[in-house]
């Protein structure tokens, strides 16, 4: 990590940042072999707390708009799939199956889905209905999103934002002054909903997602058909939430390669 100039910060704060910045390995490699150390400047607990607050606000807003879990059959279908996906998360993180996982369905025409820190998820009806997703394809979507949470990509991105522009409330959080500030909550929301993930993060989520799907008994090859459907709805380009991913052809190749790698896991789960 590039050092932060101590001429720009009080010495005590600079020292605190140095201590707070740590290298972690959030997940085990799994069959797909995702292995990369991550630099973190904020605790998992702080990011999860901010995510939970943001999630509750979004649920409240959806309720006011009568856009939360309107179709019981769709909600039951999505929750059944997610329940199967969260069990094999232990392969990547032994603590993950005990997380307080939650998934809700938002009525919206957007092609969107996400999973916040700690396992708070949503999928939009536009994604399910416009693309006519199969159960295997929903598993591909949600496995990908779950992988982002397992890898703590939001925490990593918040840490990067803090390293490049530290505000008063964030500095207070680093120094242990009070609870997580509004600025941290806003940053969590921004990296989750507004800014596209990096190519590296998307690749990791793709590869881990196909393994989660396979271990849960869903065909990992559905990730490839899902991407074809995405491209067909976006004039050959991905929607904004996947816009930093490599080209369509490169992504197809990578997904196909890793889906083939985990096919024995899928076949074993189907027996």
């Amino acid at each position: 990590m590039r050092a932060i100039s101590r001429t720009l910060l009080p010495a005590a704060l600079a020292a605190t940042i140095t201590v707070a910045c740590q290298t972690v390995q959030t997940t085990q490699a799994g069959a797909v072999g995702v292995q990369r150390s991550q630099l973190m400047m904020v605790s998992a607990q702080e990011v999860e707390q901010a995510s939970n607050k943001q999630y509750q606000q979004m649920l409240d807003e959806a309720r006011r708009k009568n856009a939360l879990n309107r179709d019981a059959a769709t909600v039951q279908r999505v929750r059944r799939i997610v329940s199967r996906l969260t069990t094999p998360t232990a392969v990547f993180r032994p603590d993950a199956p005990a997380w307080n996982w939650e998934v809700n369905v938002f009525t919206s025409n957007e092609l969107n889905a996400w999973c916040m820190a700690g396992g708070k998820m949503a999928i939009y009806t536009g994604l399910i209905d416009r693309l006519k997703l199969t159960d295997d394809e929903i598993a591909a979507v949600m496995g990908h999103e779950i992988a982002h949470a397992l890898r703590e990509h939001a925490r990593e991105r918040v840490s990067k934002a803090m390293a490049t522009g530290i505000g008063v409330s964030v500095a207070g959080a680093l120094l242990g002054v009070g609870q997580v500030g509004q600025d941290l909550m806003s940053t969590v929301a921004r990296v989750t909903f507004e800014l596209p993930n990096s190519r590296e993060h998307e690749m990791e989520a793709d590869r881990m997602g196909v393994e989660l799907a396979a271990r849960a008994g869903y065909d990992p090859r559905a990730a490839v058909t899902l991407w074809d459907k995405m491209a067909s709805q976006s004039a050959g380009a991905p929607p904004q939430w996947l816009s930093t991913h490599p080209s369509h052809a490169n992504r197809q190749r990578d997904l196909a390669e890793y889906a083939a790698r985990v096919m024995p896991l899928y076949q074993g789960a189907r027996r």
Side-chain angles (χ1 to χ4, degrees):
M1 177 180 174
R2 185 174 297 173
I4 299 173
S5 173
R6 295 184 179 229
T7 62
L8 301 178
L9 297 167
L13 178 57
T16 302
I17 291 170
T18 302
V19 173
C21 185
Q22 58 179 319
T23 301
V24 300
Q25 182 69 42
T26 55
T27 56
Q28 299 171 0
V32 292
V34 172
Q35 290 180 299
R36 178 179 63 86
S37 296
Q38 297 158 277
L39 288 172
M40 303 296 193
M41 292 184 65
V42 64
S43 73
Q45 182 180 10
E46 287 170 327
V47 174
E48 186 173 339
Q49 182 183 19
S51 295
N52 286 341
K53 290 180 180 178
Q54 186 69 37
Y55 190 67
Q56 290 306 315
Q57 287 184 7
M58 295 193 72
L59 293 183
D60 290 343
E61 182 179 356
R63 286 191 190 96
R64 287 194 298 271
K65 295 179 177 179
N66 191 29
L68 181 67
N69 298 329
R70 285 173 52 179
D71 181 68
T74 299
V75 174
Q76 183 180 25
R77 179 189 181 200
V78 169
R79 288 179 174 171
R80 182 181 65 249
I81 293 168
V82 167
S83 178
R84 285 173 56 177
L85 289 169
T86 56
T87 300
T89 57
V91 170
F92 295 110
R93 293 184 63 136
D95 65 320
W99 288 6
N100 188 20
W101 298 97
E102 182 179 349
V103 61
N104 290 283
V105 179
F106 288 12
T107 299
S108 169
N109 199 44
E110 291 182 54
L111 300 176
N112 204 2
W114 39 264
C115 181
M116 302 183 78
K120 304 301 185 187
M121 290 173 269
I123 186 170
Y124 292 29
T125 54
L127 190 61
I128 299 171
D129 297 338
R130 286 171 58 189
L131 302 188
K132 297 180 172 57
L133 296 187
T134 65
D135 283 6
D136 291 325
E137 289 166 341
I138 291 176
V141 171
M142 302 315 294
H144 175 101
E145 297 305 323
I146 288 169
H148 280 307
L150 295 176
R151 287 291 290 161
E152 298 187 44
H153 284 154
R155 180 184 171 200
E156 186 177 11
R157 297 173 74 197
V158 168
S159 297
K160 183 177 180 180
M162 288 169 62
T164 56
I166 297 173
V168 174
S169 65
V170 173
L174 282 173
L175 291 169
V177 178
Q179 297 183 345
V180 177
Q182 183 64 36
D183 283 356
L184 179 56
M185 186 173 167
S186 298
T187 302
V188 168
R190 190 166 64 253
V191 302
T192 302
F193 305 116
E194 298 175 17
L195 303 177
N197 283 292
S198 70
R199 292 187 176 188
E200 185 171 49
H201 287 181
E202 287 291 87
M203 182 181 68
E204 290 178 348
D206 274 353
R207 294 176 180 182
M208 291 172 63
V210 295
E211 180 167 347
L212 288 173
R215 289 184 182 276
Y218 293 104
D219 191 336
R221 295 169 294 188
V224 179
T225 64
L226 169 68
W227 179 253
D228 286 337
K229 289 182 177 182
M230 288 283 196
S232 71
Q233 287 285 323
S234 307
Q240 184 177 0
W241 63 297
L242 294 174
S243 61
T244 60
H245 204 282
S247 70
H248 176 53
N250 288 342
R251 187 176 196 189
Q252 274 193 316
R253 273 195 302 272
D254 196 71
L255 284 170
E257 176 186 344
Y258 280 83
R261 188 176 297 191
V262 300
M263 278 300 290
L265 299 175
Y266 168 60
Q267 293 160 352
R270 296 283 290 174
R271 292 195 186 104

